Amino acid sequence: MKARSWIIIGVVALAAGGAYGLREFNRGHDDLASSKADHAIAAPELLAAFVNDESAANAQYVEKVLQVKGTIASIETGAGDAPVNLMLDSGDPMAGILCEFNEADLPKDWAAGAAVTVKGICAGYLGSDLLPGNVILQRCVAVE
Amino acid sequence: MNLLRISLLSLALLPLALAAQDRYMTRTGHIDFHSSTPLEDIHADNDKVTSVWDVTTGAIEFSVLIKAFTFEKALMQEHFNENYMESSKFPKASFKGAVKGVTADQLAKAGTYPVTAEGTISIHGVDQPAKAAGTITVDGKGGIRAESKFQVKPEDHGIKIPGAVRKNIAEAMDVSVRMDFTKMP
């Protein structure tokens, strides 16, 4: 009787472990529409944080859900299945907050000049020797 | 006298002004990599490649954020960043080198030009010499697209793959790059 109980417990544990493993393996990305933002910040301040101290800003903002308020500088639709790129104005014409949207997640009435709030995951800050950096947000959704 | 000085100065600065007009850039270039083995297919995309290309000198540079690579499965993306690329320690990968095979004059005409890029690729904090063939396509509207396919071996860049999963990951990753360049202001 005792041995049988142990076998049953073992089988149940294995099944539960397997189910958990399979679920974890196939897990998709969190839906940002229902995630709470870790930080709420204005677009020019977010860019300034990375320009002033990139490693401190990396530690504070990268891989975090950011809710960013700003004015749309441009919206560019990519070729084929490429995502839509929305740039939030930072005050610097050569740099901004580059927000990656799936076309379906971008409100149809958004256009350059509109004041908006965006929620996305921060991937970091990217520029080059010849180009000032942008802050990159991915999997963006509209907040307002 | 003064007029002559100004004219000479303008002439002297002219090449600089001309050279500056032959720089092209993108902030939304595409790069993807694919690993295929009988056990598993791994694929990730990154649509946020920054690149600047000076057509006059041929000098080109690319840079990408490792954390901007997106995988279909969240767990795979987490393992890629934490266990393999250590992207908090090495947040960026880059290529610096030169493109040969196309001139500024050719870019004014529609056509497809075979080119080679040669330089240094830096991944996971380890630099390696790299050479790849590609094409530059100029469309009727003056749009310029650069494309290339090449391979990268994780072990060449000090990326350790545990023995238990070695057979799940290809020896060499197939990498594709596609950039739509615009002229720099």
Short mmCIF file of all heavy atoms in Angstrom, two decimals, chain A residues 98-141:
data_model
loop_
_atom_site.label_atom_id
_atom_site.label_comp_id
_atom_site.label_asym_id
_atom_site.label_seq_id
_atom_site.Cartn_x
_atom_site.Cartn_y
_atom_site.Cartn_z
N LEU A 98 12.66 55.40 -30.38
CA LEU A 98 12.21 54.62 -31.53
C LEU A 98 11.35 53.46 -31.03
O LEU A 98 11.85 52.56 -30.36
CB LEU A 98 13.44 54.12 -32.29
CG LEU A 98 13.24 53.39 -33.61
CD1 LEU A 98 12.37 54.18 -34.57
CD2 LEU A 98 14.59 53.09 -34.25
N CYS A 99 10.06 53.53 -31.35
CA CYS A 99 9.09 52.56 -30.80
C CYS A 99 8.65 51.59 -31.90
O CYS A 99 8.17 52.02 -32.94
CB CYS A 99 7.87 53.28 -30.26
SG CYS A 99 8.25 54.61 -29.11
N GLU A 100 8.81 50.30 -31.64
CA GLU A 100 8.45 49.26 -32.61
C GLU A 100 7.05 48.73 -32.30
O GLU A 100 6.81 48.24 -31.21
CB GLU A 100 9.49 48.14 -32.51
CG GLU A 100 9.39 47.07 -33.55
CD GLU A 100 10.59 46.11 -33.48
OE1 GLU A 100 11.71 46.52 -33.80
OE2 GLU A 100 10.38 44.95 -33.06
N PHE A 101 6.15 48.85 -33.29
CA PHE A 101 4.76 48.39 -33.14
C PHE A 101 4.47 47.30 -34.17
O PHE A 101 4.93 47.38 -35.30
CB PHE A 101 3.79 49.53 -33.48
CG PHE A 101 3.53 50.51 -32.37
CD1 PHE A 101 4.41 51.55 -32.12
CD2 PHE A 101 2.38 50.40 -31.59
CE1 PHE A 101 4.16 52.46 -31.12
CE2 PHE A 101 2.12 51.31 -30.58
CZ PHE A 101 3.00 52.34 -30.34
N ASN A 102 3.63 46.34 -33.79
CA ASN A 102 2.99 45.52 -34.82
C ASN A 102 1.91 46.40 -35.42
O ASN A 102 1.26 47.16 -34.68
CB ASN A 102 2.33 44.28 -34.21
CG ASN A 102 3.35 43.20 -33.97
OD1 ASN A 102 4.32 43.06 -34.71
ND2 ASN A 102 3.15 42.45 -32.89
N GLU A 103 1.73 46.29 -36.73
CA GLU A 103 0.79 47.20 -37.40
C GLU A 103 -0.59 47.19 -36.72
O GLU A 103 -1.21 48.24 -36.56
CB GLU A 103 0.66 46.82 -38.88
CG GLU A 103 0.28 48.01 -39.71
CD GLU A 103 0.51 47.80 -41.19
OE1 GLU A 103 1.13 46.78 -41.57
OE2 GLU A 103 0.07 48.67 -41.96
N ALA A 104 -1.03 46.01 -36.27
CA ALA A 104 -2.36 45.88 -35.67
C ALA A 104 -2.47 46.64 -34.34
O ALA A 104 -3.57 47.00 -33.92
CB ALA A 104 -2.68 44.41 -35.45
N ASP A 105 -1.33 46.87 -33.67
CA ASP A 105 -1.36 47.53 -32.36
C ASP A 105 -1.27 49.05 -32.44
O ASP A 105 -1.34 49.73 -31.42
CB ASP A 105 -0.21 47.01 -31.48
CG ASP A 105 -0.38 45.54 -31.14
OD1 ASP A 105 -1.55 45.12 -31.01
OD2 ASP A 105 0.62 44.83 -31.03
N LEU A 106 -1.06 49.57 -33.64
CA LEU A 106 -0.90 51.03 -33.79
C LEU A 106 -2.25 51.66 -34.13
O LEU A 106 -2.87 51.30 -35.13
CB LEU A 106 0.10 51.33 -34.91
CG LEU A 106 0.43 52.80 -35.08
CD1 LEU A 106 1.44 53.25 -34.02
CD2 LEU A 106 1.01 53.07 -36.46
N PRO A 107 -2.75 52.59 -33.28
CA PRO A 107 -4.04 53.22 -33.58
C PRO A 107 -4.00 53.90 -34.95
O PRO A 107 -3.02 54.56 -35.30
CB PRO A 107 -4.19 54.25 -32.46
CG PRO A 107 -3.32 53.76 -31.36
CD PRO A 107 -2.16 53.07 -32.02
N LYS A 108 -5.09 53.71 -35.70
CA LYS A 108 -5.13 54.21 -37.08
C LYS A 108 -5.07 55.74 -37.15
O LYS A 108 -4.64 56.31 -38.14
CB LYS A 108 -6.43 53.74 -37.77
CG LYS A 108 -6.53 52.22 -37.91
CD LYS A 108 -5.73 51.69 -39.09
CE LYS A 108 -5.63 50.17 -39.09
NZ LYS A 108 -4.64 49.62 -38.15
N ASP A 109 -5.55 56.41 -36.07
CA ASP A 109 -5.61 57.87 -36.14
C ASP A 109 -4.32 58.54 -35.61
O ASP A 109 -4.27 59.76 -35.52
CB ASP A 109 -6.84 58.38 -35.37
CG ASP A 109 -6.87 57.90 -33.94
OD1 ASP A 109 -6.10 56.97 -33.60
OD2 ASP A 109 -7.68 58.44 -33.15
N TRP A 110 -3.30 57.77 -35.29
CA TRP A 110 -2.06 58.38 -34.83
C TRP A 110 -1.27 58.93 -36.03
O TRP A 110 -1.13 58.24 -37.04
CB TRP A 110 -1.19 57.36 -34.08
CG TRP A 110 -1.63 57.18 -32.65
CD1 TRP A 110 -2.85 57.47 -32.14
CD2 TRP A 110 -0.84 56.65 -31.58
NE1 TRP A 110 -2.89 57.16 -30.80
CE2 TRP A 110 -1.67 56.66 -30.43
CE3 TRP A 110 0.46 56.17 -31.47
CZ2 TRP A 110 -1.22 56.20 -29.19
CZ3 TRP A 110 0.89 55.71 -30.24
CH2 TRP A 110 0.07 55.73 -29.11
N ALA A 111 -0.77 60.16 -35.87
CA ALA A 111 0.00 60.78 -36.96
C ALA A 111 1.03 61.71 -36.36
O ALA A 111 0.95 62.06 -35.17
CB ALA A 111 -0.95 61.55 -37.88
N ALA A 112 1.99 62.12 -37.17
CA ALA A 112 3.04 63.02 -36.71
C ALA A 112 2.43 64.27 -36.09
O ALA A 112 1.45 64.81 -36.60
CB ALA A 112 3.96 63.39 -37.86
N GLY A 113 2.97 64.69 -34.97
CA GLY A 113 2.50 65.89 -34.29
C GLY A 113 1.57 65.60 -33.12
O GLY A 113 1.36 66.46 -32.26
N ALA A 114 1.01 64.37 -33.07
CA ALA A 114 0.05 64.03 -32.00
C ALA A 114 0.79 63.76 -30.68
O ALA A 114 1.88 63.20 -30.68
CB ALA A 114 -0.76 62.81 -32.40
N ALA A 115 0.18 64.18 -29.58
CA ALA A 115 0.72 63.88 -28.24
C ALA A 115 0.17 62.54 -27.81
O ALA A 115 -1.05 62.35 -27.79
CB ALA A 115 0.34 64.97 -27.27
N VAL A 116 1.06 61.58 -27.50
CA VAL A 116 0.61 60.21 -27.20
C VAL A 116 1.38 59.64 -25.99
O VAL A 116 2.37 60.22 -25.56
CB VAL A 116 0.84 59.27 -28.41
CG1 VAL A 116 0.00 59.68 -29.59
CG2 VAL A 116 2.32 59.20 -28.78
N THR A 117 0.88 58.53 -25.49
CA THR A 117 1.60 57.76 -24.48
C THR A 117 1.70 56.33 -24.97
O THR A 117 0.71 55.73 -25.41
CB THR A 117 0.88 57.82 -23.12
OG1 THR A 117 0.73 59.20 -22.76
CG2 THR A 117 1.69 57.11 -22.04
N VAL A 118 2.93 55.80 -24.91
CA VAL A 118 3.25 54.49 -25.47
C VAL A 118 3.78 53.61 -24.35
O VAL A 118 4.46 54.10 -23.44
CB VAL A 118 4.36 54.69 -26.54
CG1 VAL A 118 5.00 53.39 -26.94
CG2 VAL A 118 3.81 55.40 -27.76
N LYS A 119 3.47 52.32 -24.41
CA LYS A 119 4.05 51.39 -23.44
C LYS A 119 4.86 50.35 -24.22
O LYS A 119 4.38 49.82 -25.22
CB LYS A 119 2.93 50.74 -22.63
CG LYS A 119 3.40 50.07 -21.37
CD LYS A 119 2.29 49.94 -20.32
CE LYS A 119 1.13 49.10 -20.81
NZ LYS A 119 0.15 48.81 -19.76
N GLY A 120 6.09 50.10 -23.79
CA GLY A 120 6.93 49.11 -24.49
C GLY A 120 8.06 48.63 -23.62
O GLY A 120 8.32 49.17 -22.54
N ILE A 121 8.75 47.58 -24.09
CA ILE A 121 9.92 47.04 -23.37
C ILE A 121 11.16 47.75 -23.91
O ILE A 121 11.36 47.81 -25.12
CB ILE A 121 10.08 45.53 -23.67
CG1 ILE A 121 8.89 44.75 -23.14
CG2 ILE A 121 11.40 44.99 -23.13
CD1 ILE A 121 9.11 44.09 -21.82
N CYS A 122 11.99 48.25 -23.02
CA CYS A 122 13.18 48.98 -23.44
C CYS A 122 14.31 47.99 -23.75
O CYS A 122 14.68 47.17 -22.91
CB CYS A 122 13.61 49.93 -22.34
SG CYS A 122 15.01 50.94 -22.81
N ALA A 123 14.85 48.07 -25.00
CA ALA A 123 15.96 47.19 -25.39
C ALA A 123 17.31 47.87 -25.18
O ALA A 123 18.34 47.21 -25.15
CB ALA A 123 15.81 46.78 -26.86
N GLY A 124 17.30 49.20 -25.03
CA GLY A 124 18.56 49.91 -24.79
C GLY A 124 18.72 51.12 -25.67
O GLY A 124 17.73 51.65 -26.21
N TYR A 125 19.98 51.52 -25.83
CA TYR A 125 20.34 52.77 -26.49
C TYR A 125 21.32 52.44 -27.59
O TYR A 125 22.32 51.75 -27.34
CB TYR A 125 20.98 53.67 -25.43
CG TYR A 125 21.53 54.99 -25.90
CD1 TYR A 125 20.69 56.03 -26.24
CD2 TYR A 125 22.91 55.20 -25.94
CE1 TYR A 125 21.20 57.27 -26.62
CE2 TYR A 125 23.42 56.43 -26.32
CZ TYR A 125 22.56 57.46 -26.66
OH TYR A 125 23.07 58.67 -27.03
N LEU A 126 21.05 52.90 -28.83
CA LEU A 126 21.90 52.51 -29.95
C LEU A 126 22.18 53.69 -30.87
O LEU A 126 21.26 54.33 -31.38
CB LEU A 126 21.21 51.39 -30.74
CG LEU A 126 22.04 50.76 -31.86
CD1 LEU A 126 23.23 50.01 -31.30
CD2 LEU A 126 21.18 49.81 -32.68
N GLY A 127 23.45 53.95 -31.10
CA GLY A 127 23.88 54.96 -32.07
C GLY A 127 25.14 54.46 -32.75
O GLY A 127 25.37 53.26 -32.81
N SER A 128 25.94 55.37 -33.27
CA SER A 128 27.22 54.97 -33.84
C SER A 128 28.15 56.17 -33.70
O SER A 128 27.76 57.20 -33.17
CB SER A 128 27.06 54.58 -35.30
OG SER A 128 27.01 55.75 -36.10
N ASP A 129 29.38 56.02 -34.19
CA ASP A 129 30.33 57.13 -34.09
C ASP A 129 29.78 58.36 -34.81
O ASP A 129 30.11 59.49 -34.45
CB ASP A 129 31.67 56.74 -34.74
CG ASP A 129 32.33 55.61 -33.97
OD1 ASP A 129 31.88 55.33 -32.84
OD2 ASP A 129 33.28 54.99 -34.49
N LEU A 130 28.98 58.14 -35.84
CA LEU A 130 28.51 59.25 -36.67
C LEU A 130 27.05 59.62 -36.43
O LEU A 130 26.55 60.58 -36.99
CB LEU A 130 28.69 58.91 -38.15
CG LEU A 130 30.14 58.70 -38.59
CD1 LEU A 130 30.21 57.98 -39.92
CD2 LEU A 130 30.86 60.03 -38.67
N LEU A 131 26.37 58.84 -35.62
CA LEU A 131 24.94 59.09 -35.38
C LEU A 131 24.66 59.11 -33.89
O LEU A 131 25.05 58.19 -33.18
CB LEU A 131 24.10 57.95 -35.97
CG LEU A 131 23.73 57.96 -37.42
CD1 LEU A 131 22.84 56.76 -37.71
CD2 LEU A 131 23.00 59.24 -37.79
N PRO A 132 23.95 60.14 -33.40
CA PRO A 132 23.56 60.12 -32.00
C PRO A 132 22.60 58.96 -31.74
O PRO A 132 21.91 58.50 -32.66
CB PRO A 132 22.88 61.47 -31.79
CG PRO A 132 22.60 62.03 -33.12
CD PRO A 132 23.46 61.33 -34.11
N GLY A 133 22.56 58.47 -30.52
CA GLY A 133 21.78 57.27 -30.23
C GLY A 133 20.29 57.51 -30.09
O GLY A 133 19.84 58.59 -29.77
N ASN A 134 19.54 56.44 -30.35
CA ASN A 134 18.10 56.39 -30.06
C ASN A 134 17.88 55.44 -28.90
O ASN A 134 18.63 54.48 -28.74
CB ASN A 134 17.34 55.79 -31.25
CG ASN A 134 17.15 56.75 -32.39
OD1 ASN A 134 17.16 57.95 -32.20
ND2 ASN A 134 16.99 56.20 -33.58
N VAL A 135 16.80 55.66 -28.16
CA VAL A 135 16.36 54.66 -27.19
C VAL A 135 15.35 53.78 -27.92
O VAL A 135 14.47 54.29 -28.61
CB VAL A 135 15.72 55.30 -25.95
CG1 VAL A 135 15.22 54.23 -24.99
CG2 VAL A 135 16.72 56.23 -25.26
N ILE A 136 15.49 52.46 -27.80
CA ILE A 136 14.62 51.54 -28.53
C ILE A 136 13.61 50.88 -27.60
O ILE A 136 13.98 50.30 -26.58
CB ILE A 136 15.48 50.49 -29.28
CG1 ILE A 136 16.30 51.20 -30.36
CG2 ILE A 136 14.59 49.40 -29.89
CD1 ILE A 136 17.31 50.32 -31.04
N LEU A 137 12.33 51.01 -27.98
CA LEU A 137 11.25 50.32 -27.26
C LEU A 137 10.62 49.30 -28.20
O LEU A 137 10.37 49.62 -29.37
CB LEU A 137 10.16 51.29 -26.82
CG LEU A 137 10.46 52.37 -25.78
CD1 LEU A 137 9.15 53.07 -25.39
CD2 LEU A 137 11.10 51.80 -24.54
N GLN A 138 10.36 48.10 -27.70
CA GLN A 138 9.77 47.06 -28.55
C GLN A 138 8.44 46.57 -27.99
O GLN A 138 8.12 46.81 -26.84
CB GLN A 138 10.74 45.89 -28.69
CG GLN A 138 11.98 46.27 -29.49
CD GLN A 138 12.95 45.11 -29.62
OE1 GLN A 138 13.43 44.60 -28.62
NE2 GLN A 138 13.22 44.69 -30.83
N ARG A 139 7.72 45.83 -28.87
CA ARG A 139 6.41 45.26 -28.52
C ARG A 139 5.49 46.34 -27.96
O ARG A 139 4.80 46.15 -26.96
CB ARG A 139 6.58 44.11 -27.53
CG ARG A 139 7.20 42.89 -28.22
CD ARG A 139 7.68 41.80 -27.30
NE ARG A 139 6.91 41.60 -26.13
CZ ARG A 139 7.45 41.27 -24.94
NH1 ARG A 139 8.75 41.13 -24.82
NH2 ARG A 139 6.68 41.07 -23.91
N CYS A 140 5.52 47.51 -28.61
CA CYS A 140 4.80 48.67 -28.09
C CYS A 140 3.29 48.54 -28.26
O CYS A 140 2.80 47.93 -29.22
CB CYS A 140 5.28 49.94 -28.78
SG CYS A 140 6.95 50.35 -28.32
N VAL A 141 2.58 49.14 -27.32
CA VAL A 141 1.12 49.29 -27.41
C VAL A 141 0.77 50.74 -27.09
O VAL A 141 1.55 51.43 -26.43
CB VAL A 141 0.36 48.34 -26.44
CG1 VAL A 141 0.55 46.89 -26.86
CG2 VAL A 141 0.81 48.54 -25.00
#
